[in-house]
Amino acid sequence: MNITWIGHSAFLIEGYDKILVDPFLINNPSTDVTPDQLSCDMVCVTHGHSDHLGDAVAIAKRQKIPVLSIVELSEYFDKMKCQTVGFNIGGSVKVKDTKVTMTQAVHSSGADVDGLEGAAGAATGFVIESGGIVYHAGDTALFGDMALIGSMHRIDVALLPIGGFFTMDAAQAAKAVELLKPKIAIPMHYNTWLPIKADPSVFKRLVEKNTETKVRILDPGQSITIDTGGGRDARRPYPRRS
Ligand code: NI
Ligand code: MN
């Protein structure tokens, strides 16, 4: 499985399929990637804030691929004439060979995008199973039920916000790693702007002191390949730990 941090909370996950999450590109100071440069099979959007919804409409329409999001936000994508999969927290969908489970996130979700009036449902995260298991936390505070997410899924990679101010900071995200027990954690949602300035090495130090998880600090645009053992996720036994 290959994971590319595009910048901020935008990732391209390449497993059985190519899954693009939170494609905030055009106004994102940390990337020069443009919407027409990305090819993928589906787009997952964690919540309605513009630094996550980003360029999802343009990307999905150009490639005629579905946008996966919570039902209320999905109504906006319907209105924008995208293919949509609108589901809700706790639910799972299968798109192509990828299973996506929507998780809670402790955060708000709003309407700072043209055409998206009122509330855009709740903020969410995703567990994405596609030849490996990736948890994208979205924007969230630390919450105790991350332990449940970690016990229900053998997470290969957790993508966690560390920037503080709008989300968890590095210390809180390190506690999240203790609950989630992923093999690898990758920090996101930091240093895009001044209010979310953070030092990812603090996160790495805390995580690697307290857990067996390895932290991989990426630069925007950087990819890593992760050996997930090659087996179909569904064949893995769970709960995962004693
Ligand atoms: Ni947000
Ligand atoms: Mn955000």
Side-chain angles (χ1 to χ4, degrees):
M1 169 174 259
N2 217 58
I3 296 180
T4 304
W5 188 36
I6 298 166
H8 200 56
S9 295
F11 283 86
L12 182 64
I13 298 163
E14 296 170 272
Y16 298 140
D17 302 300
K18 290 185 187 180
I19 306 110
L20 182 64
V21 186
D22 284 359
F24 168 52
L25 305 176
I26 284 179
N27 295 314
N28 183 346
S30 57
T31 185
D32 295 325
V33 174
T34 57
D36 56 347
Q37 288 174 314
L38 289 171
S39 120
C40 52
D41 299 296
M42 67 200 79
V43 182
C44 297
V45 178
T46 60
H47 63 295
H49 290 153
S50 58
D51 59 317
H52 297 262
L53 191 153
D55 304 290
V57 170
I59 291 166
K61 283 173 85 163
R62 183 174 59 83
Q63 300 178 94
K64 300 184 172 57
I65 54 166
V67 183
L68 283 62
S69 67
I70 196 164
V71 281
E72 290 82 1
L73 182 54
S74 197
E75 286 169 16
Y76 160 77
F77 290 119
D78 283 334
K79 217 161 41 167
M80 296 292 122
K81 308 269 187 268
C82 297
Q83 288 180 38
T84 57
V85 180
F87 58 127
N88 215 317
I89 296 167
S92 298
V93 292
K94 184 103 187 283
V95 178
K96 299 188 87 172
D97 288 318
T98 297
K99 183 180 173 189
V100 180
T101 301
M102 190 176 286
T103 62
Q104 74 179 106
V106 178
H107 188 69
S108 62
S109 184
D112 54 352
V113 176
D114 285 347
L116 178 55
E117 287 98 24
T124 70
F126 295 110
V127 175
I128 296 167
E129 302 178 43
S130 189
I133 303 184
V134 178
Y135 169 55
H136 188 299
D139 277 354
T140 189
L142 177 64
F143 58 91
D145 282 351
M146 285 180 177
L148 271 179
I149 297 171
S151 69
M152 292 294 290
H153 304 277
R154 300 158 64 100
I155 299 169
D156 292 299
V157 183
L159 312 174
L160 301 173
I162 67 157
F165 198 79
F166 300 115
T167 68
M168 301 189 281
D169 62 15
Q172 292 165 327
K175 179 57 75 174
V177 172
E178 289 182 40
L179 303 178
L180 293 161
K181 297 180 166 61
K183 289 189 200 126
I184 294 168
I186 298 175
M188 65 175 180
H189 210 272
Y190 67 98
N191 289 354
T192 319
W193 305 284
L194 216 49
I196 57 170
K197 192 169 165 51
D199 179 355
S201 69
V202 172
F203 173 64
K204 182 178 172 72
R205 196 164 54 240
L206 286 170
V207 167
E208 295 185 352
K209 189 177 79 180
N210 297 329
T211 73
E212 289 172 14
T213 300
K214 295 288 166 221
V215 170
R216 297 291 305 267
I217 297 169
L218 303 184
D219 294 320
Q222 193 180 349
S223 300
I224 56 166
T225 301
I226 288 144
D227 179 9
T228 52
R232 283 249 166 195
D233 311 324
R235 291 184 198 151
R236 296 181 180 195
Y238 72 86
R240 65 178 287 253
R241 281 178 293 275
S242 55

